[in-house]
Amino acid sequence: MHPALARLRTRLGPAGWLDQPAAMAPYLEESRARHHGAALAVVRPADTAAVAAVLAACHEAGVGMVPQGGNTGRCAGALPTAGQLVLSLARLDRIRAVDALDGSLTAEAGCILADVQAAARAHGRLFPLSLGAEGSCTIGGNLATNAGGLNVLRYGSARALCLGLEVVLADGRVWDGLRRLRKDNTGYDLRDLFIGSEGTLGVITAAVLRLFPLPERRATALAALADLDACLALLARARHASADTLTSFELLPRIGLDAAVRHVPGCRDPFDVAHAWCVLLELDGAGDAPAARLEALLADALAAGEIVDAATAASEAQAAALWRLREGLVEAQRHEGASIKHDVAVPVSRVPEFIRQASAACTALLPGVRPYPFGHVGDGNVHFNLSQPPGMAAADFLACWGRCERVVHDLVAACGGSFSAEHGVGRSKTGEMARYKSPLELELMRGIKRTLDPRGILNPGAVLPPG
Ligand SMILES: Cc1cc2nc3c(=O)[nH]c(=O)nc-3n(C[C@H](O)[C@H](O)[C@H](O)COP(=O)(O)OP(=O)(O)OC[C@H]3O[C@@H](n4cnc5c(N)ncnc54)[C@H](O)[C@@H]3O)c2cc1C
């Protein structure tokens, strides 16, 4: 072992340096278990100074280091290869400050997202980032991947929710950018450079997050669309009629609703008719305004022929039941055989056209395949998943992943979209970077990477394709 690493092991002690296979195992497998890694050791520093010591040692030894938060990522971004260190931020889990007047909360990178939401709530404030993995993903991981989730429509993605960062650089120096300012036009925005860089430019150790007034009330409904195209008119109507207090606008396809009802306890379709497409919408605000606005806009949408039916939640329990359907359809896909998944974005106005074209193209490629598109359509973000054709072996279906991906991502590019809306690039989509990013964009990104990480020790192999 390089002397710098040996010194680091002594400094971190047994709680901070894991190298036994059983202890390392959970850090070497992605949550979806599609990817497996290997590592020299897992290091678990307890504060920023110890993270700085890890980076300084890796820099000196020329050893690659892979930051890891909750390890809930979807593209193998936190998975090391043999000889590298995993840098777990899990022990940096303190809320350093909450300032209700500033509307800010300073959290260390390893804080679990749900704990940050709870800390904000305890001060009568809202931290609006919300996603399925919120019970295990971390603020550092959320910022490193610029996570999106369920409330982007109203509050923006992780980038929009961050005021300042503390980052350990490749050589172990610490950049203190923990500012609480809403306005600061003083040169290049370093904070924005680190957000979304997936641990390839620096290690986030703490962040100042934006808080919002806690909404008094929420109003939730499931609307059955007249057809897929009608989702655009309904979205525009809902944004306008709600004075832009629409927080969620989630598309649910028939196949997903059926699967949720079939496989997930507690899921019930509120309609007697099997509608092809539904939308889950939610507004927030004060007093009776959200419920009244929602009722009125749904009545107008019904009269305009955009929707054919709607079920409005009359209680928290009914709202939770509608959300259970949205969450259940993700869980239910597992029970429908193997899945091929795409997390793509297109301009909102092109969502219906994209879904139709991609469904037709995948069916032509793989007869019998079952398109399973759903997601945050209010942001143009479609999880364009595919379920195994009945009768086809799972392995044969999964062997078609690359061909399906090519067809789908080419269509996305033709629509002016992105092959990764909210999950990032990691290691599994670097080939797509090479194919869809312009040579100039790649050249600029490589220049930034060389400046901030001249020895290439920060998350090697993630984000940027070789070359
Ligand atoms: C059930 C489920 C639902 C999900 N839903 C959504 C969703 O709706 N929207 C969405 O955007 N994502 C979603 N995801 C993906 C994932 O939860 C998010 O990307 C999350 O932000 C990752 O956080 P993490 O702490 O688990 O990061 P990890 O998986 O540990 O790491 C992700 C990447 O960030 C880097 N990284 C982690 N911490 C740091 C740090 N402190 N400094 C620098 N780099 C770091 C890692 O090296 C890696 O490249 C979902 C995942 C699951 C399992």
PDB file of all heavy atoms in Angstrom, residues 287-315:
ATOM      1  N   GLY A 287     -55.586  28.058   2.911  1.00  0.00           N
ATOM      2  CA  GLY A 287     -57.042  28.018   3.086  1.00  0.00           C
ATOM      3  C   GLY A 287     -57.715  27.063   2.109  1.00  0.00           C
ATOM      4  O   GLY A 287     -57.215  25.995   1.796  1.00  0.00           O
ATOM      5  N   ASP A 288     -58.889  27.510   1.614  1.00  0.00           N
ATOM      6  CA  ASP A 288     -59.654  26.657   0.706  1.00  0.00           C
ATOM      7  C   ASP A 288     -59.237  26.841  -0.748  1.00  0.00           C
ATOM      8  O   ASP A 288     -59.783  26.195  -1.648  1.00  0.00           O
ATOM      9  CB  ASP A 288     -61.157  26.988   0.832  1.00  0.00           C
ATOM     10  CG  ASP A 288     -61.658  26.622   2.221  1.00  0.00           C
ATOM     11  OD1 ASP A 288     -61.049  25.719   2.840  1.00  0.00           O
ATOM     12  OD2 ASP A 288     -62.626  27.248   2.683  1.00  0.00           O
ATOM     13  N   ALA A 289     -58.278  27.732  -0.981  1.00  0.00           N
ATOM     14  CA  ALA A 289     -57.941  28.068  -2.367  1.00  0.00           C
ATOM     15  C   ALA A 289     -57.526  26.862  -3.205  1.00  0.00           C
ATOM     16  O   ALA A 289     -58.041  26.689  -4.317  1.00  0.00           O
ATOM     17  CB  ALA A 289     -56.851  29.132  -2.386  1.00  0.00           C
ATOM     18  N   PRO A 290     -56.629  25.980  -2.721  1.00  0.00           N
ATOM     19  CA  PRO A 290     -56.211  24.878  -3.594  1.00  0.00           C
ATOM     20  C   PRO A 290     -57.382  23.990  -4.012  1.00  0.00           C
ATOM     21  O   PRO A 290     -57.526  23.670  -5.196  1.00  0.00           O
ATOM     22  CB  PRO A 290     -55.195  24.106  -2.745  1.00  0.00           C
ATOM     23  CG  PRO A 290     -54.758  25.039  -1.684  1.00  0.00           C
ATOM     24  CD  PRO A 290     -55.896  25.972  -1.450  1.00  0.00           C
ATOM     25  N   ALA A 291     -58.240  23.612  -3.055  1.00  0.00           N
ATOM     26  CA  ALA A 291     -59.352  22.712  -3.372  1.00  0.00           C
ATOM     27  C   ALA A 291     -60.320  23.396  -4.343  1.00  0.00           C
ATOM     28  O   ALA A 291     -60.765  22.787  -5.323  1.00  0.00           O
ATOM     29  CB  ALA A 291     -60.065  22.303  -2.096  1.00  0.00           C
ATOM     30  N   ALA A 292     -60.625  24.676  -4.082  1.00  0.00           N
ATOM     31  CA  ALA A 292     -61.575  25.384  -4.946  1.00  0.00           C
ATOM     32  C   ALA A 292     -61.011  25.529  -6.357  1.00  0.00           C
ATOM     33  O   ALA A 292     -61.710  25.325  -7.352  1.00  0.00           O
ATOM     34  CB  ALA A 292     -61.870  26.759  -4.350  1.00  0.00           C
ATOM     35  N   ARG A 293     -59.722  25.870  -6.429  1.00  0.00           N
ATOM     36  CA  ARG A 293     -59.100  26.028  -7.755  1.00  0.00           C
ATOM     37  C   ARG A 293     -59.091  24.707  -8.518  1.00  0.00           C
ATOM     38  O   ARG A 293     -59.338  24.661  -9.718  1.00  0.00           O
ATOM     39  CB  ARG A 293     -57.665  26.508  -7.603  1.00  0.00           C
ATOM     40  CG  ARG A 293     -57.569  27.983  -7.314  1.00  0.00           C
ATOM     41  CD  ARG A 293     -56.144  28.389  -7.078  1.00  0.00           C
ATOM     42  NE  ARG A 293     -56.020  29.836  -7.067  1.00  0.00           N
ATOM     43  CZ  ARG A 293     -55.033  30.488  -6.479  1.00  0.00           C
ATOM     44  NH1 ARG A 293     -54.092  29.832  -5.855  1.00  0.00           N
ATOM     45  NH2 ARG A 293     -54.976  31.793  -6.530  1.00  0.00           N
ATOM     46  N   LEU A 294     -58.776  23.632  -7.787  1.00  0.00           N
ATOM     47  CA  LEU A 294     -58.702  22.329  -8.443  1.00  0.00           C
ATOM     48  C   LEU A 294     -60.078  21.918  -8.968  1.00  0.00           C
ATOM     49  O   LEU A 294     -60.221  21.499 -10.117  1.00  0.00           O
ATOM     50  CB  LEU A 294     -58.157  21.284  -7.458  1.00  0.00           C
ATOM     51  CG  LEU A 294     -57.884  19.899  -8.039  1.00  0.00           C
ATOM     52  CD1 LEU A 294     -56.861  19.947  -9.160  1.00  0.00           C
ATOM     53  CD2 LEU A 294     -57.388  18.945  -6.947  1.00  0.00           C
ATOM     54  N   GLU A 295     -61.098  22.068  -8.123  1.00  0.00           N
ATOM     55  CA  GLU A 295     -62.473  21.717  -8.549  1.00  0.00           C
ATOM     56  C   GLU A 295     -62.843  22.503  -9.807  1.00  0.00           C
ATOM     57  O   GLU A 295     -63.365  21.945 -10.765  1.00  0.00           O
ATOM     58  CB  GLU A 295     -63.487  22.048  -7.434  1.00  0.00           C
ATOM     59  CG  GLU A 295     -63.467  21.103  -6.240  1.00  0.00           C
ATOM     60  CD  GLU A 295     -63.956  19.688  -6.568  1.00  0.00           C
ATOM     61  OE1 GLU A 295     -64.561  19.505  -7.649  1.00  0.00           O
ATOM     62  OE2 GLU A 295     -63.710  18.772  -5.767  1.00  0.00           O
ATOM     63  N   ALA A 296     -62.575  23.813  -9.775  1.00  0.00           N
ATOM     64  CA  ALA A 296     -62.990  24.672 -10.892  1.00  0.00           C
ATOM     65  C   ALA A 296     -62.246  24.302 -12.172  1.00  0.00           C
ATOM     66  O   ALA A 296     -62.834  24.204 -13.244  1.00  0.00           O
ATOM     67  CB  ALA A 296     -62.734  26.132 -10.527  1.00  0.00           C
ATOM     68  N   LEU A 297     -60.949  24.059 -12.037  1.00  0.00           N
ATOM     69  CA  LEU A 297     -60.193  23.791 -13.273  1.00  0.00           C
ATOM     70  C   LEU A 297     -60.560  22.425 -13.845  1.00  0.00           C
ATOM     71  O   LEU A 297     -60.587  22.242 -15.070  1.00  0.00           O
ATOM     72  CB  LEU A 297     -58.692  23.969 -13.058  1.00  0.00           C
ATOM     73  CG  LEU A 297     -57.840  22.876 -12.437  1.00  0.00           C
ATOM     74  CD1 LEU A 297     -57.343  21.876 -13.471  1.00  0.00           C
ATOM     75  CD2 LEU A 297     -56.636  23.511 -11.750  1.00  0.00           C
ATOM     76  N   LEU A 298     -60.895  21.475 -12.980  1.00  0.00           N
ATOM     77  CA  LEU A 298     -61.295  20.161 -13.492  1.00  0.00           C
ATOM     78  C   LEU A 298     -62.663  20.248 -14.180  1.00  0.00           C
ATOM     79  O   LEU A 298     -62.878  19.631 -15.222  1.00  0.00           O
ATOM     80  CB  LEU A 298     -61.329  19.132 -12.348  1.00  0.00           C
ATOM     81  CG  LEU A 298     -59.947  18.723 -11.807  1.00  0.00           C
ATOM     82  CD1 LEU A 298     -60.083  17.842 -10.569  1.00  0.00           C
ATOM     83  CD2 LEU A 298     -59.109  18.014 -12.866  1.00  0.00           C
ATOM     84  N   ALA A 299     -63.567  21.070 -13.612  1.00  0.00           N
ATOM     85  CA  ALA A 299     -64.882  21.242 -14.246  1.00  0.00           C
ATOM     86  C   ALA A 299     -64.707  21.875 -15.628  1.00  0.00           C
ATOM     87  O   ALA A 299     -65.329  21.446 -16.612  1.00  0.00           O
ATOM     88  CB  ALA A 299     -65.773  22.105 -13.360  1.00  0.00           C
ATOM     89  N   ASP A 300     -63.823  22.871 -15.721  1.00  0.00           N
ATOM     90  CA  ASP A 300     -63.593  23.523 -17.019  1.00  0.00           C
ATOM     91  C   ASP A 300     -62.947  22.549 -18.012  1.00  0.00           C
ATOM     92  O   ASP A 300     -63.262  22.547 -19.194  1.00  0.00           O
ATOM     93  CB  ASP A 300     -62.686  24.753 -16.836  1.00  0.00           C
ATOM     94  CG  ASP A 300     -63.409  25.876 -16.095  1.00  0.00           C
ATOM     95  OD1 ASP A 300     -64.654  25.790 -15.962  1.00  0.00           O
ATOM     96  OD2 ASP A 300     -62.733  26.811 -15.630  1.00  0.00           O
ATOM     97  N   ALA A 301     -62.015  21.722 -17.506  1.00  0.00           N
ATOM     98  CA  ALA A 301     -61.336  20.761 -18.393  1.00  0.00           C
ATOM     99  C   ALA A 301     -62.320  19.705 -18.895  1.00  0.00           C
ATOM    100  O   ALA A 301     -62.240  19.266 -20.051  1.00  0.00           O
ATOM    101  CB  ALA A 301     -60.179  20.094 -17.649  1.00  0.00           C
ATOM    102  N   LEU A 302     -63.273  19.355 -18.038  1.00  0.00           N
ATOM    103  CA  LEU A 302     -64.307  18.386 -18.434  1.00  0.00           C
ATOM    104  C   LEU A 302     -65.184  19.006 -19.526  1.00  0.00           C
ATOM    105  O   LEU A 302     -65.450  18.380 -20.561  1.00  0.00           O
ATOM    106  CB  LEU A 302     -65.139  18.037 -17.193  1.00  0.00           C
ATOM    107  CG  LEU A 302     -65.969  16.767 -17.206  1.00  0.00           C
ATOM    108  CD1 LEU A 302     -65.089  15.535 -17.345  1.00  0.00           C
ATOM    109  CD2 LEU A 302     -66.754  16.653 -15.889  1.00  0.00           C
ATOM    110  N   ALA A 303     -65.582  20.256 -19.307  1.00  0.00           N
ATOM    111  CA  ALA A 303     -66.435  20.944 -20.286  1.00  0.00           C
ATOM    112  C   ALA A 303     -65.704  21.121 -21.618  1.00  0.00           C
ATOM    113  O   ALA A 303     -66.310  21.053 -22.681  1.00  0.00           O
ATOM    114  CB  ALA A 303     -66.856  22.301 -19.726  1.00  0.00           C
ATOM    115  N   ALA A 304     -64.383  21.324 -21.545  1.00  0.00           N
ATOM    116  CA  ALA A 304     -63.595  21.532 -22.772  1.00  0.00           C
ATOM    117  C   ALA A 304     -63.230  20.214 -23.453  1.00  0.00           C
ATOM    118  O   ALA A 304     -62.588  20.212 -24.505  1.00  0.00           O
ATOM    119  CB  ALA A 304     -62.323  22.316 -22.436  1.00  0.00           C
ATOM    120  N   GLY A 305     -63.603  19.098 -22.849  1.00  0.00           N
ATOM    121  CA  GLY A 305     -63.325  17.792 -23.459  1.00  0.00           C
ATOM    122  C   GLY A 305     -61.877  17.334 -23.297  1.00  0.00           C
ATOM    123  O   GLY A 305     -61.432  16.406 -23.965  1.00  0.00           O
ATOM    124  N   GLU A 306     -61.132  17.971 -22.387  1.00  0.00           N
ATOM    125  CA  GLU A 306     -59.732  17.533 -22.169  1.00  0.00           C
ATOM    126  C   GLU A 306     -59.677  16.294 -21.281  1.00  0.00           C
ATOM    127  O   GLU A 306     -58.806  15.451 -21.430  1.00  0.00           O
ATOM    128  CB  GLU A 306     -58.940  18.670 -21.507  1.00  0.00           C
ATOM    129  CG  GLU A 306     -58.737  19.861 -22.418  1.00  0.00           C
ATOM    130  CD  GLU A 306     -58.521  21.170 -21.670  1.00  0.00           C
ATOM    131  OE1 GLU A 306     -58.321  21.149 -20.442  1.00  0.00           O
ATOM    132  OE2 GLU A 306     -58.567  22.223 -22.335  1.00  0.00           O
ATOM    133  N   ILE A 307     -60.604  16.240 -20.330  1.00  0.00           N
ATOM    134  CA  ILE A 307     -60.675  15.056 -19.466  1.00  0.00           C
ATOM    135  C   ILE A 307     -62.085  14.474 -19.555  1.00  0.00           C
ATOM    136  O   ILE A 307     -63.030  15.169 -19.952  1.00  0.00           O
ATOM    137  CB  ILE A 307     -60.311  15.379 -17.995  1.00  0.00           C
ATOM    138  CG1 ILE A 307     -61.305  16.375 -17.369  1.00  0.00           C
ATOM    139  CG2 ILE A 307     -58.902  15.935 -17.902  1.00  0.00           C
ATOM    140  CD1 ILE A 307     -61.079  16.579 -15.861  1.00  0.00           C
ATOM    141  N   VAL A 308     -62.197  13.195 -19.191  1.00  0.00           N
ATOM    142  CA  VAL A 308     -63.521  12.566 -19.255  1.00  0.00           C
ATOM    143  C   VAL A 308     -64.039  12.212 -17.859  1.00  0.00           C
ATOM    144  O   VAL A 308     -65.198  11.881 -17.697  1.00  0.00           O
ATOM    145  CB  VAL A 308     -63.502  11.309 -20.155  1.00  0.00           C
ATOM    146  CG1 VAL A 308     -63.282  11.703 -21.608  1.00  0.00           C
ATOM    147  CG2 VAL A 308     -62.430  10.326 -19.715  1.00  0.00           C
ATOM    148  N   ASP A 309     -63.151  12.268 -16.880  1.00  0.00           N
ATOM    149  CA  ASP A 309     -63.583  11.982 -15.510  1.00  0.00           C
ATOM    150  C   ASP A 309     -62.485  12.483 -14.561  1.00  0.00           C
ATOM    151  O   ASP A 309     -61.338  12.714 -14.987  1.00  0.00           O
ATOM    152  CB  ASP A 309     -63.798  10.468 -15.318  1.00  0.00           C
ATOM    153  CG  ASP A 309     -64.799  10.165 -14.197  1.00  0.00           C
ATOM    154  OD1 ASP A 309     -65.153  11.094 -13.455  1.00  0.00           O
ATOM    155  OD2 ASP A 309     -65.201   8.994 -14.072  1.00  0.00           O
ATOM    156  N   ALA A 310     -62.824  12.639 -13.298  1.00  0.00           N
ATOM    157  CA  ALA A 310     -61.812  13.040 -12.305  1.00  0.00           C
ATOM    158  C   ALA A 310     -62.223  12.554 -10.934  1.00  0.00           C
ATOM    159  O   ALA A 310     -63.415  12.518 -10.614  1.00  0.00           O
ATOM    160  CB  ALA A 310     -61.650  14.560 -12.294  1.00  0.00           C
ATOM    161  N   ALA A 311     -61.225  12.156 -10.153  1.00  0.00           N
ATOM    162  CA  ALA A 311     -61.468  11.764  -8.755  1.00  0.00           C
ATOM    163  C   ALA A 311     -60.652  12.698  -7.876  1.00  0.00           C
ATOM    164  O   ALA A 311     -59.409  12.718  -7.961  1.00  0.00           O
ATOM    165  CB  ALA A 311     -61.035  10.320  -8.536  1.00  0.00           C
ATOM    166  N   THR A 312     -61.332  13.507  -7.085  1.00  0.00           N
ATOM    167  CA  THR A 312     -60.648  14.480  -6.232  1.00  0.00           C
ATOM    168  C   THR A 312     -60.530  13.906  -4.826  1.00  0.00           C
ATOM    169  O   THR A 312     -61.494  13.330  -4.315  1.00  0.00           O
ATOM    170  CB  THR A 312     -61.464  15.793  -6.175  1.00  0.00           C
ATOM    171  OG1 THR A 312     -61.851  16.119  -7.504  1.00  0.00           O
ATOM    172  CG2 THR A 312     -60.641  16.929  -5.633  1.00  0.00           C
ATOM    173  N   ALA A 313     -59.386  14.072  -4.208  1.00  0.00           N
ATOM    174  CA  ALA A 313     -59.191  13.545  -2.852  1.00  0.00           C
ATOM    175  C   ALA A 313     -59.901  14.454  -1.857  1.00  0.00           C
ATOM    176  O   ALA A 313     -59.667  15.669  -1.843  1.00  0.00           O
ATOM    177  CB  ALA A 313     -57.705  13.468  -2.533  1.00  0.00           C
ATOM    178  N   ALA A 314     -60.755  13.859  -1.026  1.00  0.00           N
ATOM    179  CA  ALA A 314     -61.491  14.651  -0.042  1.00  0.00           C
ATOM    180  C   ALA A 314     -60.800  14.635   1.313  1.00  0.00           C
ATOM    181  O   ALA A 314     -61.252  15.280   2.255  1.00  0.00           O
ATOM    182  CB  ALA A 314     -62.913  14.112   0.088  1.00  0.00           C
ATOM    183  N   SER A 315     -59.717  13.885   1.431  1.00  0.00           N
ATOM    184  CA  SER A 315     -59.012  13.804   2.719  1.00  0.00           C
ATOM    185  C   SER A 315     -57.548  13.479   2.445  1.00  0.00           C
ATOM    186  O   SER A 315     -57.185  13.093   1.325  1.00  0.00           O
ATOM    187  CB  SER A 315     -59.623  12.687   3.570  1.00  0.00           C
ATOM    188  OG  SER A 315     -59.409  11.440   2.912  1.00  0.00           O
TER     189      SER A 315
END
